Amino acid sequence: MEDNGEEKLLAAVRHIAKTLGRTETMADDILQVFSAFDGRFSLDKISSDRPLPHRRPPADSPPDAAAVAGVRREADDHRPLSLERTVRTLDRQISRFVSSNSFIWSDAGDAAAFLEAVDDLLATIRELDSLAAPADKPLLDRADDLLQRCMLRLEEEFRAILDRSDGAGISTPPSHDSDSDGADVDDDRIPVAAPVDDYNLVIDALPPGSVADLHAIARRMVVAGFGSECAEAYGVSRRGFVDESVARLGLRPRPADEVQTTPWSGLEDEIARWVKAAKMAFLILVPSERRLCERVFASLPPFADLAFAATCRPAAASLLSFADAVAVGPREPERIFRLVDMYETLRDLLPELDHLLSEQYSVTLRAEVASAHRALGAAIRGIFVELENLIRRDPAKAAVPGGGLHPITRYVMNYLRAACVSRRTLEEVMDEDAAGAGILPDHHPPSSSLALQVAWIMDVLQSNLEAKSKVYPEAPLSYIFLMNNGRYMTQKARGNELGALLGDDWIRRQIAMVRRWSNDYLRATWTKVVAVLRMDGVSAAAASSSATAGKALRERLRVFNNYVEDIWRVQSGWVVADEQLQTDLRLAVATMVLPAYRNFIGRLRTTAEAGKQADRHVKYSVEDVEARINQLFEGARRR
């Protein structure tokens, strides 16, 4: 009976040690206290069912191989029993936390105790793995099942911490020697990031305490082999913050077909918002989320990058999907200005993203940004091709009244002038196409790819105008038409980026063509008028008969008057839109006609037959003819 009572007492002591000791080390300390308190509780008795410690023999004692082997065998025999008790103890401790309906991390002590139990469980599983004995397989399965329950609860706590910390403090970026843990955090909190003009910002979305708790959980989950699940849980929770931040900038995800069917007037406003949203997302949100992931998953690669990609990729992909949808849309020339804005936005972002999106999971997002950037460049090049086709398709059947400026000339020149304000960007776009085609860059090129493209469009436009000029039944009017349009092209190309692209030689050639058309007009209209006033043949007749000479002069004067009246009646309705060109053309006509007419009137007055009656035959004075010339080319104003 006495032995039986002592056994019960020893069992009670061992139970107390196991219950109060969270680890084997703590249990051994409790047993040591009992041993020192009462000799009956010797360590040999109360730890008889615990694995024997591996003790080193005294240095001066000879080694006894058999004894050592026996001790080891005895220890190995006891180890599975100890591990089984440890698993049972951890099961009781962990089950209390796992089954709790309250938030474990609401109490720091509970959180620490739970993490300690998880650490002990991980250590026990490692020890069981090292045994690799078939008999230990059920115990290892039980421990793995317990670990699975721990990980599920840790993931719930992880999400809860993220969801609870839904504020976003905004601060300036930390300096290189600042505390990486973000100890100095702005106390002001906003639910999501608002539109800003200063992109030199970092959003500290979680307080430092929450970051530390998340890191503690993430480290255990990674060690346990649940790093991917932890990173995905992080991404799911943080994704809402990023998505809502982008949504607050006025953008909502839309399918590509809906974007492509949206009227351009409505799409222009959305593109303007997209430009701001893309800068906000990639210059503030993305760097801030990268910084936060690197703190939560510190020293846990590649899970920091995996969590970062899971967080940012959906919102980024939505932004890039919009850019792709716009890029594959119709190639109307008026779209180029907004496409250039989008192209420049992504072009400027790419260098900033090189270091942010360079790891295993995020590098694909960097490739998607570059792909959208290339698609926009291809769309811009396609618009230039479409502009060329638009000019070619413009019909040559309808003539512009009065030989005035054709709408296609006005449209193309104003369009190119406005587009070439972004000359540097357009040159970059065109050079990308040349590089993609395998054309090696010349260090001293005569002109850029853009300059060649614009010069080609000018040639296409000029050919189209020459075809349109043939619609006019009167040759002089066709020359007026070419002069008007050629002059307009020259004026629109002067003193701006379009002229810089075309070059001074092009402008000089254009001026020379206008001058040639002017001379063609003078020959077609006024050469016959001046020829009537010539004195050839009249002098010989006057020598033989003044009456005959007078009659010939009067006939020529009548023909001259008819010519002038017909020209004035018809050509006063013609148009020379440029005031300087109109003045120069009238001056050229006056210089050609008035001196010849003045000499003719003088000759008429010197004939004996005409005498004082000469003025009776002169219907128009020199001043009248000059006034008629100055009334030419006024178009609708005259009518």
Side-chain angles (χ1 to χ4, degrees):
M1 291 292 294
E2 184 176 351
D3 291 340
N4 192 21
E6 184 174 342
E7 282 297 327
K8 291 182 178 180
L9 182 60
L10 292 174
V13 170
R14 285 194 291 269
H15 177 72
I16 293 172
K18 286 196 296 183
T19 302
L20 297 179
R22 290 178 176 169
T23 65
E24 289 192 15
T25 302
M26 294 175 63
D28 288 339
D29 292 341
I30 294 172
L31 293 176
Q32 184 69 40
V33 172
F34 276 105
S35 176
F37 177 74
D38 191 326
R40 292 177 297 173
F41 305 139
S42 65
L43 288 176
D44 291 338
K45 292 181 179 180
I46 60 179
S47 63
S48 60
D49 61 343
R50 297 175 61 81
L52 295 177
H54 296 283
R55 295 190 177 89
R56 290 180 178 273
D60 56 350
S61 63
D64 186 343
V68 171
V71 170
R72 287 178 178 171
R73 282 196 303 272
E74 188 175 356
D76 291 340
D77 291 341
H78 285 284
R79 183 181 297 176
L81 297 174
S82 175
L83 291 174
E84 184 176 358
R85 285 193 297 272
T86 300
V87 171
R88 284 199 305 269
T89 301
L90 291 173
D91 195 349
R92 288 193 299 270
Q93 294 175 355
I94 290 173
S95 295
R96 179 171 63 88
F97 291 110
V98 170
S99 61
S100 174
N101 293 325
S102 61
F103 180 50
I104 296 176
W105 258 257
S106 62
D107 183 276
D110 286 345
F114 186 38
L115 290 178
E116 185 178 356
V118 172
D119 289 339
D120 289 344
L121 179 59
L122 290 169
T124 302
I125 291 175
R126 283 196 299 270
E127 191 169 356
L128 284 169
D129 282 335
S130 67
L131 294 177
D136 297 328
K137 183 66 166 57
L139 184 60
L140 181 59
D141 291 342
R142 179 181 174 185
D144 284 339
D145 179 68
L146 183 58
L147 181 64
Q148 181 78 25
R149 293 163 58 198
C150 287
M151 293 301 108
L152 290 174
R153 184 55 191 254
L154 280 177
E155 184 176 332
E156 290 179 7
E157 297 291 321
F158 192 84
R159 292 176 185 271
I161 294 172
L162 286 169
D163 294 340
R164 184 182 58 178
S165 306
D166 59 354
I170 294 191
S171 62
T172 56
S175 60
H176 291 292
D177 57 352
S178 64
D179 184 5
S180 61
D181 290 334
D184 297 327
V185 180
D186 196 329
D187 291 334
D188 296 334
R189 303 284 175 184
I190 59 174
V192 289
V196 295
D197 294 323
D198 180 12
Y199 297 102
N200 192 30
L201 298 170
V202 171
I203 299 175
D204 287 325
L206 301 177
S210 296
V211 172
D213 291 338
L214 291 171
H215 175 68
I217 295 175
R219 187 163 60 84
R220 269 74 175 186
M221 293 187 71
V222 170
V223 170
F226 288 79
S228 296
E229 290 80 356
C230 183
E232 181 60 30
Y234 178 93
V236 170
S237 294
R238 289 295 301 159
R239 195 178 300 158
F241 168 80
V242 177
D243 292 345
E244 188 176 354
S245 298
V246 174
R248 281 190 59 182
L249 298 176
L251 290 181
R252 63 178 180 86
R254 292 204 293 163
D257 56 350
E258 181 181 335
V259 173
Q260 293 167 11
T261 56
T262 301
W264 181 245
S265 57
L267 207 54
E268 276 191 296
D269 295 336
E270 192 166 0
I271 289 174
R273 295 194 299 271
W274 180 92
V275 168
K276 295 180 180 179
K279 292 178 181 179
M280 176 74 176
F282 288 107
L283 295 179
I284 295 181
L285 292 176
V286 169
S288 297
E289 288 302 320
R290 168 63 82 181
R291 178 172 178 263
L292 182 59
C293 286
E294 290 176 347
R295 293 167 63 197
V296 171
F297 294 89
S299 303
L300 299 174
F303 300 104
D305 190 53
L306 178 59
F308 168 72
T311 299
C312 296
R313 194 178 184 282
S318 178
L319 287 170
L320 298 175
S321 174
F322 178 82
D324 287 332
V326 173
V328 300
R331 295 289 196 259
E332 284 98 348
E334 63 268 15
R335 292 179 174 236
I336 196 172
F337 305 102
R338 287 302 186 187
L339 286 175
V340 165
D341 291 341
M342 299 177 76
Y343 178 91
E344 290 176 340
T345 298
L346 294 185
R347 177 200 63 192
D348 297 341
L349 287 174
L350 280 169
E352 301 293 332
L353 300 178
D354 283 340
H355 69 285
L356 286 173
L357 308 177
S358 59
E359 298 183 25
Q360 177 181 355
Y361 298 101
S362 58
V363 70
T364 56
L365 181 56
R366 167 63 170 77
E368 290 173 4
V369 176
S371 176
H373 176 253
R374 289 192 298 272
L376 291 167
I380 292 171
R381 291 190 294 271
I383 285 177
F384 275 92
V385 174
E386 180 58 28
L387 177 63
E388 177 186 331
N389 293 334
L390 184 149
I391 297 171
R392 293 183 189 277
R393 291 193 302 264
D394 193 64
K397 297 179 180 179
V400 177
L405 182 64
H406 198 282
I408 192 67
T409 307
R410 187 189 305 275
Y411 174 80
V412 171
M413 296 308 299
N414 284 310
Y415 177 82
L416 289 176
R417 180 171 179 170
C420 287
V421 171
S422 303
R423 172 188 170 188
R424 302 303 178 191
T425 298
L426 294 177
E427 284 180 331
E428 180 182 325
V429 170
M430 295 299 174
D431 290 341
E432 280 179 0
D433 186 47
I439 302 174
L440 296 177
D442 188 345
H443 294 291
H444 302 285
S447 58
S448 67
S449 299
L450 177 63
L452 295 174
Q453 179 70 50
V454 171
W456 175 249
I457 291 175
M458 292 293 99
D459 288 345
V460 172
L461 177 61
Q462 187 61 55
S463 299
N464 182 272
L465 292 172
E466 289 177 2
K468 286 178 167 60
S469 70
K470 294 179 172 59
V471 175
Y472 294 98
E474 306 97 336
L477 183 55
S478 67
Y479 298 132
I480 293 293
F481 172 78
L482 291 172
M483 289 168 58
N484 276 317
N485 288 272
R487 175 75 172 187
Y488 189 84
M489 292 168 66
T490 305
Q491 293 301 100
K492 283 295 179 179
R494 276 181 164 171
N496 53 55
E497 294 291 347
L498 175 59
L501 277 172
L502 292 170
D504 294 338
D505 288 343
W506 182 90
I507 292 178
R508 282 193 290 268
R509 288 195 301 271
Q510 195 71 14
I511 292 173
M513 282 195 296
V514 172
R515 187 181 300 115
R516 189 191 73 201
W517 292 322
S518 175
N519 292 332
D520 290 343
Y521 162 78
L522 292 174
R523 282 193 297 270
T525 301
W526 296 100
T527 298
K528 63 181 181 179
V529 177
V530 174
V532 172
L533 300 177
R534 287 177 184 163
M535 305 305 293
D536 301 343
V538 176
S539 297
S544 60
S545 173
S546 60
T548 303
K551 183 177 180 181
L553 290 176
R554 289 195 299 274
E555 178 61 22
R556 293 193 176 211
L557 181 60
R558 184 187 66 78
V559 173
F560 172 81
N561 291 339
N562 290 337
Y563 279 159
V564 170
E565 289 171 355
D566 288 343
I567 291 172
W568 180 82
R569 176 177 53 81
V570 174
Q571 297 192 14
S572 61
W574 292 2
V575 177
V576 175
D578 183 82
E579 291 185 1
Q580 185 61 49
L581 179 61
Q582 186 187 74
T583 299
D584 292 344
L585 192 57
R586 287 172 175 172
L587 180 60
V589 172
T591 302
M592 185 178 181
V593 174
L594 294 181
Y597 185 60
R598 186 177 291 108
N599 290 338
F600 182 87
I601 296 299
R603 180 66 175 171
L604 179 64
R605 285 173 177 165
T606 60
T607 60
E609 191 273 338
K612 294 182 178 179
Q613 297 181 3
D615 290 339
R616 181 169 62 85
H617 301 290
V618 177
K619 187 176 182 180
Y620 301 110
S621 66
V622 174
E623 290 74 16
D624 293 335
V625 173
E626 183 177 13
R628 291 281 177 120
I629 292 173
N630 288 333
Q631 292 174 351
L632 297 175
F633 318 127
E634 292 188 354
R637 289 177 295 177
R638 178 65 185 173
R639 296 186 183 280

